Amino acid sequence: MFGLSGCASLAKCKQSCAADAPPVTEQPEAITQPLDRLSHYDAYPKRDETFGTPLDYHQLAIAPRLLVESLDGGNRHRDLNLSIPIYVVGIEKVIGQSEGHFGSEDDSRKARKQCIGRDFQVDVLKRDDPDTERAEKSYDAACQSMNDRRPMLLTHIVRSDGIAAGLLQAPCNLFSVYRDQHGCGVAGAVESPASTRYDYSAAVAAVDALRSQVTQAASTHRPTHLLLLSTGWNTHQDESLYNYLDWLQRLQDASDGRFRPLVVAITWQSAWDRWPPLASALTKGNDADEIGLTWANRVLNDVLLPAATETATPVVMIGHSYGTRVLGAALFDRRVIKRDKDIAASGEVPLTFIALQPAFPLQRFGEGGEPLFYGATSLPVLTVMTASKHDHANSGLDRSWGAYAGGGASLKRAASKDGLPKGIAANTVDETGRFEQTLPRSGFYLTDASAIVDCAMPNTGGGAHSAVYSKEIGRLMWQAIQASTR
């Protein structure tokens, strides 16, 4: 399913994915790290002794300087500079902990089964949908994801002072469950819990503290945008950070340096470390939904959107593959957490969601067995989902779960008499990454990106599915961002 090819021809792959870059040895077009990525961490246990989390997903929390120095950002991204703070939110699957999203094992099992607890109100998915059968399916899908016996939990929040010549500057922990000496030592930081058991309330408090940090930073540095990022399946923390540098470089190039965002970047435990990666693909899709319904939901709706409202700053979300599940659930299912105000639905600030090769079925918008995104197309948001007939990673799942949004089946459906789900329109980009139709300030689009998502980029897996780091993708993203803020 996730092969190393996926384009029309090998010659075209070489032309479209490598011709615009210097030799791979100097500046590779793609950024997946080599297999010996942990060779610099011999002094650290490969799994945390208290929480059982694999080192691949929390290097930045326990050895920030070592991780920054091990990345090659100073080579590939040597022209990338950003004098605005960057926040990395780390989410992992904690082993041997009883505290979940709805409470601990000591809480009422009935309450957990009914998805009741803390500030969650998952039953809102049933109350607000007039179609009883569809509402039950959506509710059941959300409950199943959030009631995982080994939940995905927030383990660290790291702040960097920005980027200089492609390198993250002075990373330090605002919050960490790991006992370390890398705290930021600033007002608003949350002390690491003293207990060896996971403290869910402390993690939620850390998100609340992050809102103050982001709001203050946005007021001080006046970024052009607040940017929320998420990568997808089988992407370790160092790879995610490198991917984010890549997107930032492409956006700065496409905008001629006008794009100066404050970044909040999510990294999450997106593969099993003790089994072949492919074995985790379906489970990690469910984990992505869980993160979106919970932690990413809080980051978007309790941190970024309030900060955006207070500072009058547009918000941009960019996700790839399962990262679009993370961000999609955070936006489209935001109501599963109780709030006094729904900023996303109010349209108070421009909001752009760029979903690169989304790995979820179109049936999520109101059809099929898990219509979690029903109602999404009515939001005052500009959403652009890219799809490609060359994306065989997505297309490989079509037969079992319906037309995956990022694959060729979704494009065939757009051209068929059945058409796309209600509220979704089709458009196209050319081989330079420019839209062939004018984008409005808000709307919901399936974009045929086959002309630019057509090959396996060097050092990536998944074939064309991962061809989302090119200068053409940068142009596509920048056009969408500009359209929503016109």
Side-chain angles (χ1 to χ4, degrees):
M1 180 174 64
F2 292 90
L4 293 179
S5 63
C7 56
S9 68
L10 180 60
K12 186 175 182 182
C13 275
K14 292 181 178 179
Q15 180 180 4
S16 62
C17 279
D20 66 331
V24 169
T25 55
E26 295 182 11
Q27 191 175 7
E29 178 69 19
I31 44 65
T32 299
Q33 296 294 297
L35 294 178
D36 63 347
R37 63 172 61 85
L38 295 181
S39 61
H40 299 290
Y41 297 88
D42 291 339
Y44 298 91
K46 296 301 181 281
R47 296 185 72 88
D48 181 75
E49 296 177 357
T50 300
F51 298 108
T53 50
L55 179 61
D56 288 290
Y57 300 99
H58 59 258
Q59 305 108 303
L60 190 61
I62 66 171
R65 182 175 298 179
L66 182 58
L67 177 60
V68 169
E69 292 176 353
S70 68
L71 293 176
D72 193 28
N75 180 24
R76 175 171 171 77
H77 307 107
R78 51 186 172 269
D79 296 326
L80 178 61
N81 297 282
L82 187 65
S83 57
I84 301 174
I86 294 172
Y87 301 89
V88 178
V89 176
I91 300 168
E92 302 174 84
K93 190 175 284 290
V94 174
I95 295 176
Q97 303 297 313
S98 61
E99 196 164 15
H101 300 299
F102 301 112
S104 68
E105 289 182 350
D106 296 330
D107 295 327
S108 168
R109 292 191 177 184
K110 180 180 179 181
R112 295 187 67 181
K113 185 177 181 180
Q114 294 179 347
C115 297
I116 298 172
R118 304 191 197 278
D119 53 355
F120 290 104
Q121 53 173 14
V122 183
D123 62 337
V124 73
L125 298 176
K126 293 192 292 186
R127 296 199 308 263
D128 293 354
D129 189 345
D131 186 319
T132 303
E133 182 179 0
R134 181 175 59 210
E136 286 289 347
K137 290 179 179 179
S138 181
Y139 171 81
D140 290 344
C143 278
Q144 182 177 352
S145 293
M146 295 174 67
N147 254 324
D148 195 309
R149 295 182 64 183
R150 290 178 52 198
M152 300 292 290
L153 299 173
L154 175 69
T155 59
H156 56 286
I157 300 175
V158 178
R159 190 196 70 188
S160 167
D161 288 341
I163 302 169
L167 296 176
L168 293 172
Q169 298 298 295
C172 60
N173 292 329
L174 289 173
F175 169 76
S176 174
V177 301
Y178 305 108
R179 300 187 174 188
D180 57 71
Q181 304 297 318
H182 304 291
C184 292
V186 297
V190 176
E191 293 295 329
S192 300
S195 172
T196 57
R197 293 182 63 80
Y198 187 86
D199 187 338
Y200 199 103
S201 297
V204 173
V207 176
D208 292 338
L210 180 61
R211 177 173 60 243
S212 298
Q213 286 271 328
V214 169
T215 302
Q216 181 178 353
S219 298
T220 301
H221 297 276
R222 306 308 303 174
T224 58
H225 301 80
L226 303 183
L227 178 61
L228 180 61
L229 303 172
S230 180
T231 46
W233 174 72
N234 197 25
T235 310
H236 297 89
Q237 186 172 64
D238 57 346
E239 295 174 302
S240 290
L241 296 176
Y242 215 102
N243 285 336
Y244 298 149
L245 292 174
D246 222 38
W247 281 338
L248 289 171
Q249 181 73 71
R250 295 306 192 189
L251 279 165
Q252 284 207 352
D253 291 345
S255 68
D256 294 326
R258 288 175 288 168
F259 186 66
R260 296 179 53 259
L262 183 155
V263 179
V264 177
I266 295 173
T267 68
W268 58 285
Q269 189 175 335
S270 56
W272 291 336
D273 64 320
R274 294 178 173 177
W275 296 86
L278 189 59
S280 70
L282 298 181
T283 298
K284 288 304 169 181
N286 293 331
D287 287 345
D289 293 335
E290 176 192 348
I291 294 169
L293 291 160
T294 56
W295 300 109
N297 187 340
R298 296 184 188 279
V299 171
L300 173 63
N301 297 286
D302 297 332
V303 176
L304 289 180
L305 287 176
T309 301
E310 186 169 333
T311 61
T313 310
V315 175
V316 178
M317 304 160 55
I318 302 175
H320 170 237
S321 188
Y322 281 166
T324 66
R325 288 192 179 206
V326 171
L327 301 185
L331 176 60
F332 304 143
D333 295 304
R334 65 199 176 282
R335 295 168 302 143
V336 301
I337 295 179
K338 299 175 185 176
R339 295 182 181 89
D340 294 332
K341 186 176 182 180
D342 188 348
I343 299 175
S346 72
E348 290 183 31
V349 294
L351 177 55
T352 310
F353 179 22
I354 301 170
L356 300 172
Q357 302 308 112
F360 57 74
L362 285 176
Q363 284 77 0
R364 284 203 164 192
F365 295 102
E367 310 163 359
E370 49 178 43
L372 279 169
F373 296 167
Y374 171 72
T377 59
S378 63
L379 284 173
V381 174
L382 177 59
T383 299
V384 173
M385 304 186 300
T386 65
S388 171
K389 63 184 179 182
H390 307 299
D391 184 346
H392 300 316
N394 263 319
S395 299
L397 299 172
D398 289 339
R399 295 185 184 88
S400 299
W401 288 277
Y404 262 55
S410 66
L411 298 175
K412 290 180 180 178
R413 177 169 171 177
S416 72
K417 63 178 181 179
D418 294 331
L420 294 169
K422 183 179 179 180
I424 303 178
N427 61 15
T428 308
V429 293
D430 63 21
E431 62 185 8
T432 69
R434 293 179 172 85
F435 284 91
E436 296 183 354
Q437 302 85 11
T438 301
L439 287 173
R441 292 189 62 183
S442 64
F444 212 108
Y445 292 91
L446 180 73
T447 298
D448 186 348
S450 299
I452 60 174
V453 179
D454 64 346
C455 61
M457 300 177 81
N459 301 325
T460 66
H465 180 65
S466 297
V468 295
Y469 308 104
S470 65
K471 61 185 180 183
E472 291 81 11
I473 289 291
R475 290 194 194 104
L476 180 156
M477 294 192 294
W478 178 237
Q479 288 173 87
I481 292 169
Q482 284 184 299
S484 69
T485 54
R486 274 200 294 265

